[in-house]
Amino acid sequence: MAWRRLSVAAGLLLCPALLAGQSPDQPRPRPYPPFESPAFQRAVERGTRTRDGTPGPRYWQQRADYALAATLDPAARRLTGEGTVRYANRSPDTLTVVWFHLHQNLFAPGALRNEPTPVTEGMELGRVVAQGQALAAVDDSTAAGYQVRGTRLRIRLPAPLPPGGTAPFEFAWSFTVPPDGAPRGGEDGEVFFLSYWYPQVAVYDDLGGWQVDAYLSNAEFYMGYGDYAVAITLPHGWLVGATGFLVNQAEVLSPGVRERLQVAARGTRVVPVVTDEGRGPGAATLRSPDGRLTWRFRADNVRDFAFGASDRYLWDATTAQVGDLDGDKVAERTAIFTFYRPSRRAWAWDQSARYAQHSIEFLSRYLWPYPYPQATAVDGVRSCAGMEYPMITCIGGPRDTLRLYSVIVHELAHMWFPMQVGSDEKRHSWQDEGLTRFNQAQAMREFFRGYDQQSIARDSYLALARRGGEVDLMRHGDLYPPDSPAFGIASYDKTATNLVALRGLIGEQRFLEGYRAYGRAWSGRHPAPWDFFHALNRAAGEDLGWFWRTWWFETWTLDQAVARVVPGRDSTTIVIEDRGLAPMPTRIAVRRVGGTTERYEIPVEVWLDGARRHEFRVPASPAVASVEIDPERHFPDIDRSNNVWRGL
């Protein structure tokens, strides 16, 4: 759509009484650049980051590979675990300390938290070994040993770990699985969803070294990448959905289930792999003499591992076409699994495999091909709500068709952000939640043939902005005001709304090129906000610093208005006012009597230069029937009642 750009200088009128929006003695804010953090500037100087939105030639990141074994005792509601972690130091620094996260300690008595949670005893460590040496808990932080600091574990190494070196760790631990009401997991007596259930290495990155913020419940996670080999032992007859791919089907699944999985893998229809009558030992799973089976999973280059389990589950399977992953011009397929209780058919779960199939196929087309061997959605405890992990989502609570598809596509969209594009969710939650909300809206529009999730997100943001409750996006996830929707609006809805505005600003083609290029460049890596900004600047072909400052760092609102339309003998004068604080180009549709439409654009530079009013003239004939600002509604104007003028 072509917009006729109006001259920046011609016809420009400044109204002193409007220069502040509401008061002549309150000057209009001018967006200054979104200055890079000192850490990002240093990274550019060192060559680990660039200013074109791609990793630098000296970019590095750490790696940790896990071999874990978990035994789940549903009757006792206990998980007992042991495992090894091989940590590779790819940084240029010699490390004397390695940090781990013990997220289960969120539930320990006296734990710091910013949301109510159930209380258990937290994670009990039975063995800690580093570099082959058994370690004890120590008070002296300079001595080899470990210290538990809330949800964090600090290990002082017996020997320094040089660049290029590796360090093995061993752990044994146990905990009571928290009941329903625990954020992002737990058990309800029928299903168990195990998340953040093992000691996990913290991220050490090129921007700030160790990232060891405590887990307080609200803000989410920043995780590194590695390979996982996981063994899960639990009663026979129980089904398990997990990160990764099951590598020992013949040791746990009945012949009938294995056969039906093979049928599902060859087609696109949904296959009931385990039905109401097919549950239990000898039907869904093999029987075991001791009543237990061990499920073995493998997941490569992922940032976490989670699993759900129940003896009530039904299991549906199909496949999704994800596109050409390896460049051989042949479209690959991935397995789709859903696990749910029979009672959840009332919540549309019998359609869940179809919803997951569409989600993966759409997102693979819209973004880039889904790279993992499977995608799973499990019916979990209610307090899961909707939560994402590599290759698996936990979904709880009553749903209907719209809401179940909505949460499935949202959580599966997280397989791109942050599962592939590994941003720091704790400090910048918009980098995964906002991008995912935007992607979700695109999928819902297709699946429901025009359903407008974008408008719902925009209206939620504008409602809070009108009440004066908005908080900026560039804020740590644990530093939003309590008992306020500000965190969710900023992280989800406003960011999604900003992306719609950005797409409208630079055009869909350039937006998608930049968006996809950013994602591909940072897949399996750790982008900072400035990497995103630079990547989209590059796609736009210009510095959009004023846009990033306005919509990411501030809480300014947009309010552009058609102030007057004055017909004359030879021309009609149109007066546009910018009554808000957020500068944006003003796109104006002038409709004539008879049905023709002319399109004009007041460049953003007019408002950036401090103007509050701009007038321009159009030919008087045919008569102007209406004037409308932003008829496509790309930009989030806080008061659309003044965006339209209609003639008599």
Side-chain angles (χ1 to χ4, degrees), residues 149-201:
R149 300 181 180 180
T151 59
R152 300 164 296 174
L153 174 67
R154 180 185 185 271
I155 295 179
R156 182 80 180 191
L157 297 173
L161 180 60
T166 60
F169 297 87
E170 300 175 29
F171 298 96
W173 69 94
S174 63
F175 60 86
T176 297
V177 180
D180 196 0
R184 307 178 176 95
E187 57 84 16
D188 62 9
E190 294 184 348
V191 302
F192 285 71
F193 195 87
L194 276 300
S195 55
Y196 319 115
W197 55 275
Y198 58 94
Q200 185 182 49
V201 181

Side-chain angles (χ1 to χ4, degrees), residues 280-296:
T285 72
L286 299 176
R287 290 186 181 274
S288 170
D290 67 355
R292 301 193 305 174
L293 293 171
T294 298
W295 298 56
R296 300 184 185 278

Side-chain angles (χ1 to χ4, degrees), residues 261 264 267-273 314-321 333-340 344-345 347-362 375-379 393 395 401 404-405 408-409 412 447:
L261 283 172
T268 60
R269 70 180 182 90
V270 176
V271 175
V273 174
L314 309 177
W315 184 357
D316 290 346
T318 185
T319 66
Q321 183 171 298
R333 308 196 72 84
T334 195
I336 299 293
F337 302 137
T338 61
F339 297 84
Y340 58 94
R344 278 15 181 194
R345 289 190 179 100
W347 299 352
W349 270 93
D350 55 339
Q351 299 300 310
S352 57
R354 184 169 65 91
Y355 297 166
Q357 179 187 55
H358 176 268
S359 300
I360 293 297
E361 290 188 343
F362 174 85
T376 294
V378 303
D379 154 33
T393 71
I395 298 168
T401 295
L404 184 60
Y405 177 85
I408 284 176
V409 72
L412 288 179
F447 189 79

Side-chain angles (χ1 to χ4, degrees), residues 589-612:
V590 177
R591 293 182 177 87
R592 301 284 189 170
V593 171
T596 61
T597 300
E598 300 159 5
R599 300 182 183 275
Y600 300 88
E601 178 176 316
I602 301 173
V604 69
E605 288 80 8
V606 170
W607 314 124
L608 291 175
D609 284 343
R612 280 293 182 177

